[in-house]
Each structure stands twice: as structure tokens, then as C-alpha cells.
Amino acid sequence: MNTVEALRAIVGKSHVITSPDKSLRYRKGYRSGRGDALAVVLPGTLMELWEVLKVLHDNDLIIIMQASNTSLTEGSIPAPGYDRQAVVVNGSRIKGMQLINHGEEALAFPGTTLYKLENALKAIGREPHSVIGSSNLGASVIGGINNNSGGALIQRGPAYTEQALYAQIDEHDELRLVNHLGIALGDTPEEIITNLENRNFNIDNVPHSRTRVGHNRDYEARVRDIDSDTPTRYNADPNELYEVSGASGKLAAFAVRLDTFPKEGASKVFYIGTNNPDVLERLRRHILSEFTHLPVSGEYMHKDAYEMAKKYGKDSLIVIETLGTNVLPYLFGMKATTERILDHIPTFKPYFPDRVLQHMGQLFPNQLPKRIEDYSKRYDHYLQLKMEGDGIDEARAFLQEFFATEDGDYLELDDKEAERIATHRYVTAGVAIRYEEVFQDDHIEILPLDIALPRNEFKWFEELPKEIEDKIQYKLYYGHFLDHVMHQDYILKPGVDAHELKKEMLALLDKRGVIYPAEHNVGHLYEAAPALVAHYKKNDPTNSFNPGVGKTTMHKYWGNY
């Protein structure tokens, strides 16, 4: 029995994809990149996942662990240059999720999305680590842990846990299952997996670990330290690398144990506008150093990003607002299937579905609230400041006093306005690539960067030298302002080489003490820092999982790297 036949015997013929056309959606990155694979396998249970890994290990194949494939840096797809054949193992069908200890903690499986976890906790008045941001793209919980994803909730820090069940190929080239969930599930892999999937333990009486945590430590103190010359957070921080956390697919995560958080109830979004970026920095410093109650989030957009998202993100906003994010994985699948079919018809250009959606979106009226639209005519910089509980009155009193003398103003949004503008902010992440697809005949390139600024950086808003400015058509600035993590997407002028411009841009960032990437992980686009490489080697001594990530070697046993 060959490898493909063995995989089909485990998961069923329909869940092993060998056709390059049909597997492209799993081999192609969200923004860029693609690679080859012997097959794409979609196990439906943790036991099937274990059996699949055994087959791949026995046949000395590269294993690419994949969840929702929402990576923006090619981190969960195969890449060119492997010395062995690769197989993509997509865990999206393994949707099991368990709330333990009366919902104070959660066990997330490979197919558990942030959206699903959020909805499960909402019924009991609790929240997961992240409730906005990547949840709009259908991202998975384990994917966030693997990438130390930051999210927008500044009280909680990057996604992190020290409690997980994972498979590892150790230094002796042996596949083993490691149970660090803190739950007694048996001794053999089969016992452990069976007892976990069947909940053969008291889910409301799981002992709390004395040494391992299920969320980021001491983040509030870190984000309040506005005088530090280092960033608040970035996903290669050595303090946040622990087994599955920050693993970048170098381990096969079966389940992660995470803390959940009580939901305070009442919330209010203050929408702030100004023409002076220094005003926002003064506001940021006061809030973080003086407020008794930290905000829930503080999301920034520049006017150009706002306007571009209004035009090139409208259809995405309508879909999310109308159908919710739970349907996004299905819609992405339908779009990929349509692209695959039309790709063989010469009449249709690439990305035809996206261009149709773009034109259809323009048939609908403007989706943004009138009061916020009025601000777009008055101001260049916008901040969505979300407060909860007693923090609402604290922020209201401060903003009244602050804008009595500062340039700018603020609105108190109602719930509908707040939800709409939050969605508008998050669809911005796809605007640059949509623009590239719509204007593909112009052969433009895009350059996306996400950066972590030092906490004490006052001049946070980028000013580029003319020789670089002249190469850029549009600059889209948005991000998590209070912890100084910014996304900067550049749509370049025709003929400008994104790779060459990126070198110039990164050199400027280095001079400013900026760390990059901040939260989208290194993928195959950035070099991994020494601490991150050491983490990879410790997790994956044979370099069998996701080799080459962080621009490391693709050779087995790491060669001389």
C-alpha cells in the first residue's frame, strides 16, 4: 500500500486531495506564496490525525500542519525547495471543543475557530483571549497559539498557553504524543486521544496547574510601561515561546488548554478624530499610565485606509454583517472552487470571483454610519477606543477635558455604529490584495508590513524619505494603537519591485528600533530571530514539520544550520 492509499484508508478517499487544481486553496497563501504537495489530508478526528502522522513519519515525508490557512506570511503552506515530498495536514474538520471547570477554561482542537469559541462562551458570560480581529477571517484558536497572535485586546496580550497535547518527532526520529494538558488521560497515545475525545474525565473538576499557565503573564504591567524602549509585544519574544506557543507548525497540536475571561457587560466605543498624530500619542500615554481601567482595545485607522476599505472592502463588510463570520470558511472554499474551474477557461482572467464581488459591492449604498462619515471629511486620523464597566465613565470624563484644548473631537457610538466601524477596520487587512487583483493588468505589487514600535516612541506616524515615497501609490495605515503594533500596507506604483523596496523599508525600521513582524509570524517572508530558531530546533530536532519557516534550512536534521 502506497502513502496515498494508506491515508485514504484512514480518513476516506474524499478527504485526501491529490489533484493540484483541487488542492491549490490549501497550497496557496492568503496574500502570497504557493508550493507543491503530494497530497492534502483532512482528518476528521484526533485519532485519525494521529494515524495520519504515523503514516507520514514512517514514509519520511514533510508535514505541513494547517488550520484555517489565514496566514498573511505564507507560514502554513508548502514552499519551494524541499528535499523530500510534503503533505499538507489540514485540521479544520476536527471541530471538537470542550469547556472545562464551568467554562473558566477551554480545550480547543485543531478546527476550533475563534468565532466558535467566542459564541460558546458568550452563553455563560465569558470571553476567550481574542474576540475581534482574526475571528473575522475564520482563524483558528490553535493557529493563533502557534503564531503568538496578538489580537486587539490590550488587557490580555498575545495568545499563549503552556498546556497542550501535541505530537513531536524527537531527536531519535521517533514520533511521540506529549500530554501537557494537566489532565490524566492514560498512558498510550490511543488511550489519551480516546479519553480526551470521549470526555472520559470530570470536565468541571480538572486540577489547576501550579506551574503551567493558560494565558499571557503580566501583560497589563507591560503595556502600561510607556517609557520602555522595547515593543510591548511581538511574536518572537523569547518570553512567549513555549512548546506549542510560537511553534509555527513545528509541532502537531492536538489540543490546547486556555483560560477564559469574565465579560463585564456594558461597553462603549468612543470614536476619536484628529489631524495631528501627536494628539493620539499624548492620549495614549495618559490612558496607559493614568487610567484605573485599561481599555478593551484601541484600534487606529488613517484616512487613506478608511477610504480604500470603504471602496475595496465593502462586499466583505456586507457579507460579515449579514451572514456572520461562521460562513467565511465555506465562502472561501466556494470561491477557490470557482477560481479552479474558471482557470481553465481562457476568457476569464485570474481572480474573477473577487473582481465580480468588487463590482457587485459597488451596487450597494455606502455602509458606514453618517456620523463617522462626517468625521472622515474633517480628520485624517481615527481611533476606536473601547471601554467596559467603570472605565466608560473614566474615559468619558477624560475625553471631555482632553479635547477642550487639543486638536480633534470624539463621538460616543451606539452599538450598531460600533459594530459596523469595527468590521470596517478589520476588512482593511484584505484591501491591498483586493486592489492588486482588480488592477492586475497594471502589474502592480503590494508590500504588507506589520511592525512593533518601541513603547516610548512618540513620533509613531511614519514619515518616508522622498525617494521611497515616490515609489508608493497608496499607503494604508491601521493597527492596534495602544500597544504600538501597526499594520502598514503599501500599494506600489507600476514597475516597482516589492522585494527591493522591502529591503529599503526594513532598513528604515531597523534605525527606529522597530521589530517586525509583530503578530503575523515570520512565515516564509522573514528571517527568524535566533531565539525563534532555537525554539524551532527544540520542538522539531529532525526538521520534519514545516521546514524552511523563518527562512531556515529545509534539509532534514537542519544540516549545518
Side-chain angles (χ1 to χ4, degrees), residues 418-477:
E419 183 177 358
R420 183 63 55 88
I421 196 60
T423 303
H424 180 70
R425 152 66 183 86
Y426 291 110
V427 301
T428 308
V431 166
I433 194 167
R434 167 60 65 82
Y435 188 94
E436 182 184 33
E437 292 167 351
V438 170
F439 295 98
Q440 58 188 276
D441 290 343
D442 294 340
H443 304 291
I444 62 169
E445 296 187 36
I446 61 174
L447 173 58
L449 298 176
D450 71 294
I451 65 173
L453 296 161
R455 281 167 277 181
N456 65 354
E457 175 65 74
F458 191 89
K459 293 295 183 181
W460 61 275
F461 190 70
E462 182 175 70
E463 295 182 7
L464 294 172
K466 186 176 185 303
E467 60 269 20
I468 290 182
E469 191 82 49
D470 288 345
K471 299 176 183 178
I472 299 171
Q473 191 168 185
Y474 296 107
K475 298 177 293 186
L476 309 182
Y477 295 134

Side-chain angles (χ1 to χ4, degrees), residues 99-105 124 126 203-205:
L99 300 183
I100 62 176
N101 291 334
H102 304 284
E104 292 181 1
E105 297 176 272
I124 59 173
R126 298 187 71 83
I203 64 171
D204 287 323
N205 191 27

Side-chain angles (χ1 to χ4, degrees), residues 120-132:
L121 290 170
K122 188 181 296 183
I124 59 173
R126 298 187 71 83
E127 293 179 337
H129 162 268
S130 180
V131 297
I132 48 181

Side-chain angles (χ1 to χ4, degrees), residues 219-241:
Y219 191 72
E220 180 172 339
R222 195 187 316 172
V223 77
R224 285 185 180 276
D225 185 5
I226 59 172
D227 295 320
S228 173
D229 61 0
T230 62
T232 310
R233 61 176 172 90
Y234 57 99
N235 57 16
D237 185 342
N239 297 314
E240 311 301 334
L241 303 176

